[in-house]
Amino acid sequence: MEEYLDQLNESQREAVKYNEGPSLVIAGAGSGKTRVLTYKIAYLVHLGLAPQSILALTFTNKAAREMKERIAKITGDQTARRLWMGTFHSIFSRILRYEAEHIGYPSNFTIYDASDSKSLLKAIIKEMQLDDKVYRIGMIQSRISNAKNALVTWKAYEQSKELMQHDIDSKVPLLREIYKRYQNRCQQAGAMDFDDLLLQTNILFRDHPQVLEKYRSFFQFVLVDEYQDTNFAQHLIVQKLCEQHRRICVVGDDAQSIYSFRGANIDNILQFKNQYPGCRIFKLERNYRSTQNIVNAANSLIHKNKEQIFKNVYSEKEQGSKVRVSSSYSDYEEGYAVAAMINEMRMRKDYDYSEFAILYRTNAQSRILEEALRKRGIPYKIYGGLSFYQRKEVKDVISYLRLIVNPHDEEAFKRVINYPSRGIGDTTVNKVISAATENNVSLWTVLNAPIDYALPINSGTAKKLSDFREMIERFIQENARLSAEEMAAMVVKESGIVSTLFQDRSVEGISKQENLQELLKGIAEFCELRREEGVEQVSLADFLSEISLLTDQDNDKDEQANKVTMMTVHAAKGLEFRNVFVVGLEEELFPSSMSKDNPRAVEEERRLFYVAITRAEENCVLTYAKSRFRNGQSAMCSPSRFLKDIDVQFLELPADSSADTFAAARERFERPAFSSPFQQPRAVEKEEPSFISPVAQAQQRQRLRKVETATSSPVSSSAPASDLSGLCVGAKVRHDRFGEGEVIAIEGDGGNAKATVAFTHFGQKQLLLKFARLTIIK
Ligand SMILES: Nc1ncnc2c1ncn2[C@@H]1O[C@H](COP(=O)(O)OP(=O)(O)OP(=O)(O)O)[C@@H](O)[C@H]1O
Ligand SMILES: [Mg+2]
């Protein structure tokens, strides 16, 4: 019965079978940590532990799903389904729904997503008449979030002298008042934001020992994946559940701790053995994911970090290709080069598109890459960015559904009170909000008794408000007997959404209609799935709680599709692909400009790069561009310092830089910024991406030209190389991308002729005339 354990190596098997106390598996990427966790769960079930008494916490819903599928293969479906397995947020939101009454929330509480929180904060800052350039939403949101993840409630915040001083020093003395109002408003609306799910669980366990006791004895075994990225709030929940029975197993890798900006604390894993004296520590050394070259390249990189637990990681797979470094002239060319390489690699070996991933540091990089893939006809899917449920037309419908389940939901209320337009203007809505705030009640409560709350409105407006209220009440009544899909169909019809949306015959309008249909289809499929699981009446509340916790990594509408995956490195944690491109390896981008001067932050960026490289099984390509369009202008960039951290013997460098010249460039990088060869104004020299065969290069050049003539993107031009015979120093010229400027020097001749031009908006650039496509204007 235990033959599945043969699929593990000796150290993994030992870690799985150890069952005499707390254990920690700490090991490098790809060494089978997640696999150990998965098999350990199956093993525990075989030992006789009831599956519902096992709690397994993962970093994404996707990881939980994959683990469950794997376990189901060993233990059977029925068993796997009963496990408590999911992200911290999804598991504890479930528990909070059962226990909501203890902490003053309704069990049908709404979960505010980041944009709901933002919208509420915006409203509060406006009501308090604060300057939103000083009280910047993003900053306020992250400071409140950090406070919550450190378990600082608004009351504790208000009483803390240190925090008060910190706020005064950073010129936002009223932050604590914002936090207080925000929290009160969430409470009035019966809503929790993501961070509340962890904070409120902690409050629940702290203030209600009998509840804690119940879950302590309920969860007989607790397992946590990616433990290095837990924050204080998560860490404490786990500790509370396990400190008595000590049946806990966590796995992680300090070298992959990449979420400190969200309060993750690497000490949680480093201190584990002190917290659970006598705990067994298992180390796994063999990497099963990647070729030797990839593992060695990643090792040589991470060893540059000062703070780390030393680990020996090796691969017994083939040596494989070296990690390739490719440079491009610009971010646009980087995109084309990646697309060309994907096609080339597919020609050489029969890879599916789904076996490629493009990883970037920031979501903003995806647009240019997408454009390049689209032009090459390469199918792709993007994780993160604006998810389906964030699109306006989809979120509008969802807001109706949220209001039906919880009519006190303020953000949902504000979205739909005048959508579709029913003549209820902002002035009226603001009156409702003021009355609600003054009386500490929800907007819905005011709507139900406008006279009691002395709402200053005329009879016409009063009628419109009461029509809206009646409609929502009717929906609420129907919701008691209809399924989620029937309810959604009724809402879009009777609220007037369908007739409003379907009047719009523009391309945009049609795409909105399609999204609406897609949403209805999604709800129907969800109901169908639940019915198959035996749920008779699938409620709206079920559907909403399912979608409210989808994370960036869960955009799996076309998970099975044969498409290239595009995502941030953060989102790629724990995943693996045969071929990985890590793009934008430039200073100011990777490491990011925010981290570059802070040694600890640079170490975290280096860990992030380590995560990126170690996703690759067979091929890993690292690319950088020499110029990139950022903040409205094209700027020169230098290759990332991390490229020189990798031992050169595991790299294949660009054709334009032999190992030596590359090393020289890297050395120069250490000197003042302007001395880097890549920062000199060598702007428009074209360079082909490296290591593509000459034939492919020629084809690519031809295709690039075709693409350039076919598009109107800022980098391209439809003008053929111009007649520059009259070009002289002092001439006024126009360039497609850089605009107007004056020639200040000309040197070289024939194909090598270059002009130095001082552009009005882009500064001085040296241009290779055969490519530059300048027009003389004076
Ligand atoms: N003993 C083994 N035999 C065969 N394949 C294995 C073995 N152990 C792990 N693998 C495979 O190696 C790959 C990496 O394993 P896994 O994802 O569990 O590593 P990990 O340590 O969790 O990596 P990460 O640090 O990136 O999360 C997976 O494809 C896994 O199935
Ligand atoms: Mg893993």
Side-chain angles (χ1 to χ4, degrees), residues 335-372:
Y336 291 125
V338 169
M341 285 185 254
I342 291 177
N343 279 343
E344 235 247 335
M345 284 157 83
R346 273 172 47 84
M347 264 190 277
R348 267 187 291 152
K349 206 164 175 177
D350 212 7
Y351 292 119
D352 284 341
Y353 284 119
S354 57
E355 291 174 311
F356 290 87
I358 306 176
L359 309 180
Y360 33 80
R361 178 69 185 80
T362 63
N363 274 314
Q365 289 165 260
S366 71
R367 194 187 55 80
I368 288 177
L369 293 160
E370 266 185 89
E371 206 175 298

Side-chain angles (χ1 to χ4, degrees), residues 33-34 225-226 289 574:
K33 296 181 296 297
T34 304
D225 197 6
E226 308 275 4
R289 178 179 294 145

Side-chain angles (χ1 to χ4, degrees), residues 416-431:
V416 304
I417 175 108
N418 198 34
Y419 176 80
S421 172
R422 46 179 75 89
I424 302 174
D426 283 352
T427 323
T428 307
V429 176
N430 286 337
K431 285 176 186 166

Side-chain angles (χ1 to χ4, degrees), residues 185-205:
R185 290 278 272 277
C186 284
Q187 188 112 25
Q188 288 306 342
M192 294 199 201
D193 65 17
F194 285 165
D195 303 316
D196 280 329
L197 297 174
L198 302 176
L199 173 63
Q200 297 298 338
T201 302
N202 272 293
I203 292 177
L204 175 74
F205 287 169

Side-chain angles (χ1 to χ4, degrees), residues 28-35 37 63 67 225-226 228 251-252 256 289 573-575 615:
S31 58
K33 296 181 296 297
T34 304
R35 192 175 174 104
L37 221 53
M67 247 182 180
D225 197 6
E226 308 275 4
Q228 76 279 358
V251 312
Q256 295 185 68
R289 178 179 294 145
K573 198 164 69 142
L575 307 181
R615 300 308 98 200

